[in-house]
Amino acid sequence: MNLLPYLYFNGRCEEALSFYASCLGGGVSVLELHRFAGSPMAKEAPADWSQKIMHASLGTEGRPLLLASDGMANAPSEPPRGFSLAYGASSAEEADRVFAALAEGGNIQMAIGETFFAARFGMLTDRYGVAWMVNCDR
């Protein structure tokens, strides 16, 4: 079984995927990308959405980590609520780097730092309204 989050970006998907690949590093890249143009959904999308993303995946080594879309122009999605994406770093330095990158243009709920349960832990909402927890185990 593989459980993956599917995020909607209301027309900013390509920008968001590029941002996440840059923030996460480590070979994370867009694995799959389908635009409305040339798809069965082309007739459902406004002309100015032809190059928007109908479906994409972001991952590493051929393994998707999250799925994403611009959504539908006539049905904008609400910012996600009630969950966070959790990033597990392999070092405190990696956790600090990823947290700082994701926080750029976003909101920090809990600054990253040492806690009783982790070498590093922090919580933020990124510039796209997606909540993140960045963790590095002891």
Side-chain angles (χ1 to χ4, degrees):
M1 176 182 278
N2 195 14
L3 183 62
L4 298 170
Y6 203 116
L7 305 176
Y8 294 92
F9 291 99
N10 294 322
R12 297 179 69 193
C13 187
E14 193 158 11
E15 173 191 326
L17 292 177
S18 177
F19 174 73
Y20 293 148
S22 170
C23 291
L24 302 177
V28 172
S29 64
V30 174
L31 301 176
E32 181 182 10
L33 190 144
H34 303 281
R35 299 191 186 276
F36 282 97
S39 79
M41 293 298 294
K43 64 181 181 268
E44 305 294 327
D48 62 338
W49 270 56
S50 67
Q51 292 305 304
K52 296 294 183 187
I53 297 173
M54 184 184 70
H55 172 76
S57 65
L58 185 75
T60 182
E61 298 176 4
R63 194 181 99 240
L65 301 171
L66 66 84
L67 306 175
S69 172
D70 276 314
M72 294 296 290
N74 62 351
S77 63
E78 296 292 321
R81 288 187 227 153
F83 73 94
S84 297
L85 297 182
Y87 182 89
S90 58
S91 69
E93 295 78 16
E94 178 187 358
D96 291 343
R97 178 190 62 75
V98 169
F99 187 88
L102 289 169
E104 189 177 317
N107 264 323
I108 295 173
Q109 280 78 47
M110 179 180 174
I112 195 155
E114 188 173 355
T115 68
F116 71 95
F117 60 86
R120 288 287 188 283
F121 180 80
M123 296 172 22
L124 65 101
T125 301
D126 70 27
R127 63 178 74 172
Y128 303 102
V130 176
W132 290 81
M133 293 187 286
V134 176
N135 185 67
C136 176
D137 291 333
R138 291 190 179 275

